[in-house]
Amino acid sequence: MSEVTMHRRNASSRVRADPLVAVLVLVAVAGVAGFGLGPSARDAQAVAFWLLLTAVHGCFAVVSAQVARTGPVANRQLWLWFTGAGAAFVVGDVGQLVLVARDPQAPAALVGAQFQYGFIAVGMVLLITGLFRHPLGEMTGSTRARLRLDAATVLAAATTFGLWLFEVPAGPRDAGWALGLAVSLLVMPGVFLVAIFAVLRLLRSGRTPFSRSSGILGGAAAILQAVLQTVPGSVYLDPRFTPWLLAGNVVASVLLALVARNQQRCGQHAVRPAGREQPRHYSVLPYAGMAAVWALTATVLLIGGLDAHAWVVAIGASVTTALVVGRQVNAFRHITELLHERDELTARLTRLAYHDALTGLANRGLFMRQLHEGLAAGAVTVFLVDLDDFKPVNDEFGHATGDQLLIEVARRLRNGIRAGDAVARLGGDEFAVLMTGLSLARGAEVVDELTAALHGTVRIGAAEVPLRASVGMAAGRHGEHDPDSLLHAADMAMYAVKEARRSLAGSDLR
C-alpha cells in the first residue's frame, strides 16, 4: 500500500471519527426519535425543540467563526457572513425560549413568534448575502446581470408558492400585525430556494468555497428547510403532524451545522474533492421555477376560478415570466457580443495568416493565391523587387532602422500601383507586385518607375539610409505559365538586373 493511499485513509478516518459530528448526528437521530416516535405534551415538545435548535445553531455559529479564522483567506469573508447568520439564529432561539418559559401553551411557543421570525429572516439574509458576495472569479457584467436575474426569478417563483400557501396572521390590524405580516412574508421558502440556487452556482463555478460533501449537505439543508417553510402554521399545530415537522426542522439545522464542521475538518486534513466539474454557464432552476408557477396558475384557475388566490398566483407567474424574458434578452445580447467578437477575431486571424506583420502587405501565401486567380482570369505581369545592399543597412544602422526602411519601401510600392493591383512582401527584403492588362512596353516603364521610386536615401531618425532596388519582370497568361514558374521567371529577371549592375560597377572601377 502506498504512502499516499495510507495518508488519504488516515485523513478520512480522522474526519469520520470527529466527536462533534457524532454528537450532531445523535441530535438529529434523537430529534426524529423523540418527536416523531415518542409524542409528548405540547409544552415539553416546545422546550425540547427550542433547546435543541439553540444548541445546534450555536454550534453552527462557533464552528463558522473558527473556519473564518483558520480557513483559506479567499473564503474567510463568506464564513464571517455565516457566523453572523448563526448568531442571528441563536438570538431568535433564545428569545423563543423566553416566550416558552412564560407561556408554554401559547401557539407561538411552538411555531415561533414574530421576534424569532425576524431573526430567522436576518440570518437567512446574511447567509444569502455571503453566498452571493463570494467571488466567482472573472465575471463579465453580462454574466453578473444574468446571475442576478436568475436569483430574482427563483425568488419570485418561490414567493408565489409561499403566498399561495400563506395564512394571514390573526390579531388586530395594527403596526405590530403589519410587522409580523412582513416578517412572515420574508421567511417564506423563497429565501431558502435562493440559498439553494446560490449553493448550486458556487458548486458549479470554478472557485467554489465548499468541498463537495459540504455543498451537498448545504443544499440538502436548504431544500429541507424550504419544504418545511411552505407548511402553514395551522398544520404545525395539528398534533398529527407536529412531531414530524419539529423533527424535520431539527434535522435541517443539524445539516447546516454539519456543513460548517465538515468544511472545517476538510481544511484541517487537506481533503479535497476528487475532481472538479467544468463550470456551467447556465442554470435550469429559473426555468423550472417559471414552469412550476404556470402549472400552479393553471391548477388554481381550474379548481377555484379567478379568485383572490388566482390573482396572486397569476401576478407571480407574470413577474416570473418577465424576469425570464429579461434574462433571455440579456443572454441574446451577450450572444450577439460574442458573435461580434468571434467575427473580429476571425478577421484578425485571417489578416495575420495572409499579411506581413511588419509592413501590412500581403504575404507570400496570399500573393500566390492572387497570382493564381489572376492567371485564371487572363494575362498578368509580375514584378519582383529586391533591395540592394540591405544587410549592410542592418549592420551599420541596426535592425530597427532596417525595419523602418522596409516599411518605407512598402509605402512607396503601394503608392506606385493602380487600384486592383497587388503588392506583397515575400520575405526578408524581397517584394512582389502583380498587375493585369499591361503591354510589354508599359511593363518596362513600370520597371523604371519602381526602380526610380526605390532609389536615393531615406531619412530615418538622424540617419540618412541608402535605398536602391533591383526589379525583375515576367509576363504570362493562363495555359502558358503557372504561378511558380512565372514568379521564378521574374526572379531570374531580377537577378539578371543585379548581375548587369554589378558588371557595370566592376567596369567603372577598372
Side-chain angles (χ1 to χ4, degrees):
M1 183 182 297
S2 68
E3 183 179 351
V4 174
T5 303
M6 292 183 63
H7 173 74
R8 288 178 177 174
R9 290 191 175 182
N10 291 336
S12 180
S13 64
R14 287 196 296 268
V15 173
R16 288 196 298 270
D18 181 15
L20 182 56
V21 172
V23 170
L24 288 171
V25 172
L26 286 175
V27 168
V29 173
V32 173
F35 290 119
L37 302 180
S40 57
R42 177 181 292 182
D43 54 351
Q45 288 179 335
V47 172
F49 175 65
W50 293 110
L51 281 174
L52 286 176
L53 284 191
T54 303
V56 173
H57 288 156
C59 176
F60 172 70
V62 171
V63 176
S64 295
Q66 293 174 350
V67 176
R69 186 173 62 254
T70 61
V73 176
N75 296 343
R76 290 180 183 177
Q77 192 69 29
L78 171 71
W79 288 98
L80 285 175
W81 285 101
F82 281 15
T83 302
F89 293 152
V90 171
V91 172
D93 296 338
V94 172
Q96 190 65 25
L97 281 172
V98 173
L99 175 64
V100 171
R102 290 178 178 176
D103 188 2
Q105 293 297 326
L110 192 62
V111 300
Q114 294 177 7
F115 179 83
Q116 195 265 343
Y117 273 17
F119 277 94
I120 285 181
V122 171
M124 288 306 303
V125 169
L126 292 175
L127 280 177
I128 293 171
T129 302
L131 289 170
F132 276 104
R133 285 180 61 88
H134 184 76
L136 297 179
E138 294 295 327
M139 183 183 295
T140 64
S142 179
T143 302
R144 188 176 293 106
R146 289 196 300 277
L147 176 61
R148 291 171 179 169
L149 285 171
D150 286 350
T153 304
V154 173
L155 179 59
T159 302
T160 302
F161 275 87
L163 291 175
W164 176 57
L165 296 169
F166 181 69
E167 293 181 348
V168 178
R173 306 298 175 88
D174 53 12
W177 177 88
L179 178 61
L181 178 66
V183 171
S184 299
L185 288 173
L186 182 59
V187 187
M188 296 301 292
V191 290
F192 295 97
L193 284 183
V194 172
I196 298 170
F197 174 79
V199 169
L200 292 176
R201 291 292 295 187
L202 289 178
L203 289 177
R204 291 172 178 172
S205 73
R207 296 181 59 183
T208 172
F210 304 116
S211 66
R212 185 178 299 277
S213 54
S214 295
I216 293 174
L217 289 171
I223 291 172
L224 178 57
Q225 195 63 64
V227 172
L228 292 170
Q229 288 297 315
T230 63
V231 179
S234 58
V235 178
Y236 269 88
L237 297 175
D238 190 329
R240 296 172 299 174
F241 306 112
T242 300
W244 297 109
L245 292 172
L246 297 181
N249 278 277
V250 171
V251 171
S253 299
V254 167
L255 288 174
L256 188 62
L258 286 174
V259 170
R261 184 56 175 174
N262 183 69
Q263 190 66 28
Q264 182 186 35
R265 298 294 291 178
C266 286
Q268 289 175 354
H269 300 296
V271 178
R272 299 185 180 183
R276 175 179 292 178
E277 296 180 0
Q278 291 296 323
R280 295 179 62 179
H281 301 289
Y282 68 92
S283 172
V284 299
L285 199 56
Y287 305 100
M290 182 185 69
V293 171
W294 276 109
L296 176 64
T297 303
T299 302
V300 169
L301 289 174
L302 183 63
I303 295 175
L306 193 59
D307 56 7
H309 277 82
W311 276 109
V312 170
V313 174
I315 292 173
S318 300
V319 172
T320 305
T321 303
L323 289 170
V324 170
V325 170
R327 193 241 192 264
Q328 290 304 109
V329 170
N330 181 280
F332 290 149
R333 184 183 297 113
H334 181 60
I335 291 172
T336 302
E337 293 173 355
L338 290 178
L339 291 175
H340 180 67
E341 291 176 3
R342 183 205 63 182
D343 293 341
E344 287 185 341
L345 180 60
T346 301
R348 192 178 303 119
L349 292 175
T350 301
R351 180 167 183 80
L352 289 174
Y354 290 106
H355 290 79
D356 175 57
L358 177 65
T359 63
L361 297 178
N363 61 13
R364 177 181 290 271
L366 179 57
F367 183 79
M368 296 302 290
R369 189 175 73 181
Q370 292 170 334
L371 180 54
H372 177 80
E373 293 172 352
L375 280 171
V380 298
T381 305
V382 174
F383 302 89
L384 197 66
V385 181
D386 187 80
L387 302 187
D388 296 333
D389 300 323
F390 180 70
K391 186 176 183 301
V393 171
N394 280 332
D395 294 341
E396 182 177 353
F397 300 102
H399 288 277
T401 300
D403 288 345
Q404 290 301 313
L405 182 61
L406 293 174
I407 293 172
E408 175 62 19
V409 169
R411 186 189 68 80
R412 295 187 183 189
L413 289 175
R414 284 196 196 95
N415 293 336
I417 64 174
R418 306 166 303 181
D421 295 336
V423 58
R425 181 188 177 197
L426 302 184
D429 60 344
E430 192 174 59
F431 297 81
V433 176
L434 174 64
M435 293 185 174
T436 60
L438 294 185
S439 63
L440 289 178
R442 176 56 188 154
E445 292 175 357
V446 171
V447 169
D448 294 338
E449 292 170 0
L450 294 176
T451 303
L454 302 177
H455 182 78
T457 59
V458 178
R459 175 169 288 278
I460 300 177
E464 289 287 341
V465 181
L467 173 62
R468 190 171 62 183
S470 299
V471 181
M473 181 188 75
R477 64 180 60 252
H478 180 65
E480 298 179 2
H481 299 85
D482 59 69
D484 290 325
S485 64
L486 190 59
L487 189 61
H488 179 70
D491 190 47
M492 292 296 99
M494 181 270 296
Y495 274 106
V497 171
K498 279 186 178 289
E499 288 300 323
R501 185 172 293 164
R502 290 194 187 102
S503 299
L504 181 61
S507 63
D508 290 340
L509 288 175
R510 289 194 296 269

